[in-house]
Amino acid sequence: MSDTKNIRNIAIIAHVDHGKTTLVDSIFQKTGAFRDNQQVNVRVLDSNPQERERGITIFSKNAAAVYKEHKINIVDTPGHADFGGEVERILQMVDGVLLLVDAFEGPMPQTKFVLRKALELHLKPIVVINKIDRPQSDPVKVHDQVLDLFIALGAEEHQLDFPYIFTSAKNGIAKYSMDDEDGDMSLLLDIIIKEIPAPVAEDDGGFQMLVTTLDYSDYIGKIAIGRIHRGKVSPGSQLVVVSPDGIVGKGTVTKVFQFDKVQKIEAKEATSGDIIAIAGIPDATVGLTLASVDDPVSLESFEISKPTLSMLFSVNDSPFAGLEGKEVTSRKIRERLMKEKMTNVALNVEETDSADTFRVSGRGELHLSVLIETMRREGYELAIARPEVIMHYDEQGTMLEPIEHVTIDIPEEYTGVIIEKMGRRKAEMIHMGTLRGGMVRVEFEIPTRGLIGYNLEFTTDTKGEGIMSHVFINYQPFKGKLPSRETGALVVSETGICVAYSLSALEDRGTFFVSPNTKVYAGMIVGESTRGLDITMNVCKTKKLSNMRSSGTDESLRLTPPKILSLEQALEFINDDELLEVTPLSIRLRKKLLDPNARARATKKANA
């Protein structure tokens, strides 16, 4: 056994929007990964269109940079708690982590969650205090908060003596102390080479690799990604898939890829310590070991966190079904969900009693809404039911529900309304403190159910100035019934086209989600009622014209602009008796029962 001296494997971990992907950009610029005249996107690793639009990392990415004859394998991990399943697995591939912390916000829930996992695995941490150029930032205070966090998480003595550096990834600045002159990213790269241990090389025994992530290509099939624990591999190698219970599959390696900058490049051979991708093993699954046929020994695996939220995906059966999408059948939807399940291991797909409906479970609303958005962009039409929390039962038969740790940063004047709203949702306040610039940080423990549908309300209550983040902590006994949506829906009574004349006359009934000339059908929801009851209305009624009275004689109508809901906002809005209709061109809200008489009978029956 020896050290692979010229390889360093690191993961970049941080809370959402603390600058992980921007830091990778700066590292690539410093290592000369791009030509001087090359056109490079900002946040080069965020290759998925949704990642660019949302400004967050959704899928973990592998990349590599070469600096001072060392190959640095970098794994960029998602910062949002809904994609925490990715981070937990990635830590198995690396020998150290860059813990990135915002110089203004300090350590946030996801930072604590991921750091705890890294410390448990005895990984070497390097603390990067980023965004030192941000107004009102206090990098030195944040460094002290990070040290407190290490102590609170029970870090060992040698882990408390962590190396740290202050950076502005956006400007490519790095320095060891705030009193130093501005340096560049070579200071950070030097720390990585010096502090992160090299992987242990063990090339003599049979091949072993723990599958940490999966990718898929329509041309070469399933691609298994992981770090070689022992041995060598090359195209043509015979490998077996080993679980703790024995061999579960086998195959021949068709291609071996190594990472170079942001691309995969084919390699003739790969040796222990390197992070690689292997094609040709169809039975490869996350958490299982790929091993040589002569020595099929399983490596210690890891537990994948279970989903906390589920939704029913069903075939779109509205009057407008099939008008906008290409893939509308249950067979096509099932194929697509099963393909997603192969690579997205934190996702679970189950068939239900109905052939047209599938139960899809994930780590949170965002996790599932990213899948829905991807499918609609691929031409699928779906009907989605309201998200439901997945309950568990302990040995005594007590019902347990998932609990989240919520951190809220708000201007001081909104503190009262937020504490009151969270209290109604069965939240318990566990900490409250002041930040710079008149901001207050409040921390709660709240049932996951209490967060469904709250984002929209939170944005309104704080006039868009509040920041809310949450991370799953554990299961606790069921907290009791929570209040549902306090307002009713504005429901269309007949199929047709919305008319400005009707919308103008009905504006006092509530807030509309549609504009004039929108096609609607009976049972479709076009707005939010001001009362707690649903109101059925005709939005297609036109003005009766005659010889004495023409349409031009009236003053032109002034309508309040409609409130256009995003996919996440629509998922938060719907109640148990409503569905979300998703097509490539439209997002519509509707009642499950389109006929008003059937709805009235169902309501009567429920009340009885």
Side-chain angles (χ1 to χ4, degrees):
M1 291 207 300
S2 65
D3 285 353
T4 311
K5 295 289 185 194
N6 63 343
I7 291 181
R8 298 292 182 274
N9 296 321
I10 59 162
I12 303 183
I13 57 175
H15 189 76
V16 68
D17 204 30
H18 279 197
K20 295 177 299 300
T21 311
T22 311
L23 187 75
V24 177
D25 283 1
S26 289
I27 290 173
F28 281 151
Q29 295 288 356
K30 185 62 201 169
T31 54
F34 310 117
R35 299 188 314 273
D36 291 341
N37 63 347
Q38 187 174 343
Q39 288 290 314
V40 181
N41 285 324
V42 180
R43 303 195 318 275
V44 66
L45 280 188
D46 282 350
S47 51
N48 182 285
Q50 282 198 67
E51 292 182 313
R52 296 200 156 279
E53 289 163 26
R54 295 171 187 264
I56 61 171
T57 303
I58 294 170
F59 308 103
S60 60
K61 314 282 190 327
N62 293 75
V66 176
Y67 178 72
K68 291 185 179 176
E69 298 181 356
H70 286 74
K71 181 182 183 184
I72 302 174
N73 284 314
I74 303 167
V75 192
D76 184 22
T77 60
H80 199 286
D82 282 18
F83 308 105
E86 297 263 324
V87 186
E88 292 164 42
R89 305 195 307 275
I90 295 314
L91 296 179
Q92 304 283 334
M93 279 201 285
V94 296
D95 302 295
V97 294
L98 292 187
L99 176 70
L100 206 66
V101 185
D102 188 301
F104 173 76
E105 292 184 358
M108 296 288 274
Q110 184 70 0
T111 321
K112 298 171 190 172
F113 167 75
V114 183
L115 179 60
R116 180 183 286 114
K117 299 275 181 191
L119 294 175
E120 284 170 4
L121 292 167
H122 307 289
L123 299 176
K124 176 77 178 183
I126 295 174
V127 174
V128 181
I129 295 169
N130 191 31
K131 300 193 183 182
I132 55 174
D133 57 321
R134 187 171 169 181
Q136 297 181 329
S137 64
D138 190 347
V140 178
K141 182 184 174 188
V142 168
H143 171 266
D144 294 341
Q145 289 174 343
V146 173
L147 180 59
D148 292 342
L149 176 62
F150 270 74
I151 294 166
L153 294 177
E156 294 166 19
E157 201 164 319
H158 67 90
Q159 290 173 322
L160 290 175
D161 188 22
F162 53 81
Y164 59 90
I165 191 166
F166 301 97
T167 65
S168 168
K170 189 170 75 171
N171 301 317
I173 293 168
K175 47 190 176 181
Y176 296 130
S177 164
M178 288 304 292
D179 301 326
D180 296 350
E181 286 188 21
D182 290 349
D184 61 20
M185 283 295 156
S186 60
L187 299 178
L188 174 60
L189 292 163
D190 288 336
I191 288 186
I192 290 170
I193 290 171
K194 181 185 168 195
E195 298 287 348
I196 301 295
V200 175
E202 213 179 326
D203 290 334
D204 301 334
F207 176 79
Q208 271 185 315
M209 181 182 101
L210 185 67
V211 181
T212 319
T213 10
L214 291 172
D215 200 353
Y216 186 82
S217 162
D218 290 334
Y219 303 103
I220 56 175
K222 194 184 275 189
I223 300 169
I225 300 170
R227 185 174 94 174
I228 304 177
H229 180 73
R230 188 181 71 189
K232 301 177 182 178
V233 68
S234 55
S237 300
Q238 297 283 324
L239 298 181
V240 290
V241 183
V242 191
S243 76
D245 302 325
I247 295 172
V248 292
K250 58 185 177 180
T252 305
V253 176
T254 53
K255 288 184 188 296
V256 175
F257 298 98
Q258 289 181 318
F259 294 94
D260 179 38
K261 304 180 184 72
V262 293
Q263 293 148 344
K264 294 191 194 88
I265 54 164
E266 282 194 53
K268 292 188 174 145
E269 186 181 70
T271 56
S272 65
D274 206 355
I275 294 174
I276 62 161
I278 293 176
I281 316 292
D283 297 317
T285 307
V286 168
L288 299 186
T289 304
L290 297 184
S292 58
V293 178
D294 310 331
D295 190 10
V297 180
S298 172
L299 289 167
E300 187 182 343
S301 189
F302 47 86
E303 189 182 348
I304 297 166
S305 297
K306 293 182 171 55
T308 57
L309 208 66
S310 72
M311 295 181 193
L312 292 175
F313 285 41
S314 51
V315 172
N316 182 20
D317 61 354
S318 84
F320 293 169
L323 297 180
E324 297 171 356
K326 301 195 301 276
E327 313 291 4
V328 295
T329 62
S330 59
R331 182 175 65 84
K332 287 284 187 185
I333 292 170
R334 184 184 183 281
E335 277 175 15
R336 178 65 184 82
L337 290 173
M338 292 305 171
K339 182 181 171 185
E340 183 70 24
K341 187 182 172 183
M342 278 201 312
T343 55
N344 193 343
V345 292
L347 196 78
N348 192 23
V349 181
E350 302 165 83
E351 307 212 17
T352 63
D353 298 338
S354 165
D356 292 343
T357 305
F358 308 92
R359 182 173 292 281
V360 182
S361 308
R363 292 283 289 261
E365 272 180 291
L366 185 64
H367 185 199
L368 294 170
S369 70
V370 165
L371 170 61
I372 296 165
E373 182 63 34
T374 306
M375 288 179 70
R376 72 181 283 239
R377 291 181 186 199
E378 291 171 2
Y380 287 83
E381 283 195 13
L382 302 161
I384 314 288
R386 187 183 191 211
E388 294 173 24
V389 165
I390 299 169
M391 301 293 185
H392 284 256
Y393 291 88
D394 64 10
E395 292 157 4
Q396 287 77 39
T398 308
M399 187 194 283
L400 306 176
E401 65 174 329
I403 303 293
E404 311 255 346
H405 180 110
V406 180
T407 302
I408 296 176
D409 291 353
I410 41 171
E412 205 169 334
E413 61 264 32
Y414 304 128
T415 314
V417 67
I418 294 303
I419 291 173
E420 184 203 335
K421 290 283 177 76
M422 294 297 275
R424 273 195 234 160
R425 292 167 177 268
K426 309 283 186 189
E428 291 176 24
M429 186 163 68
I430 54 174
H431 175 74
M432 184 173 175
T434 54
L435 303 173
R436 285 185 162 202
M439 299 286 279
V440 175
R441 174 166 294 173
V442 201
E443 295 181 33
F444 298 94
E445 285 189 3
I446 185 173
T448 303
R449 289 178 301 140
L451 289 173
I452 297 174
Y454 181 58
N455 258 328
L456 204 60
E457 207 176 311
F458 175 75
T459 308
T460 309
D461 288 342
T462 61
K463 298 188 170 51
E465 293 181 60
I467 301 168
M468 178 169 67
S469 54
H470 53 91
V471 62
F472 167 76
I473 45 170
N474 57 19
Y475 281 88
Q476 292 179 17
F478 185 68
K479 304 281 184 186
K481 197 176 176 190
L482 291 178
S484 56
R485 190 179 79 210
E486 293 174 0
T487 53
L490 304 180
V491 188
V492 177
S493 60
E494 62 177 58
T495 303
I497 295 174
C498 276
V499 179
Y501 170 72
S502 293
L503 294 178
S504 172
L506 297 165
E507 270 194 325
D508 60 336
R509 303 289 178 89
T511 307
F512 282 103
F513 302 151
V514 294
S515 52
N517 299 323
T518 304
K519 289 183 177 177
V520 295
Y521 54 81
M524 182 171 150
I525 297 169
V526 291
E528 183 177 10
S529 162
T530 48
R531 302 182 192 175
L533 301 169
D534 292 343
I535 302 174
T536 305
M537 53 176 55
N538 183 359
V539 292
C540 309
K541 189 177 176 185
T542 55
K543 187 203 288 188
K544 294 289 177 278
L545 309 179
S546 66
N547 292 345
M548 302 293 292
R549 181 178 172 190
S550 70
S551 58
T553 55
D554 280 356
E555 188 182 318
S556 60
L557 297 169
R558 292 183 186 275
L559 287 173
T560 307
K563 182 178 177 180
I564 305 299
L565 298 181
S566 67
L567 178 62
E568 281 86 13
Q569 289 171 335
L571 282 169
E572 287 174 6
F573 180 81
I574 54 177
N575 260 338
D576 294 336
D577 65 334
E578 296 162 359
L579 291 175
L580 180 63
E581 180 187 348
V582 177
T583 75
L585 302 180
S586 312
I587 293 173
R588 302 186 187 97
L589 300 164
R590 53 163 284 195
K591 289 289 184 183
K592 282 184 181 174
L593 301 170
L594 299 178
D595 179 32
N597 296 324
R599 283 202 305 276
R601 284 196 296 272
T603 308
K604 198 172 178 182
K605 190 175 177 183
N607 292 339

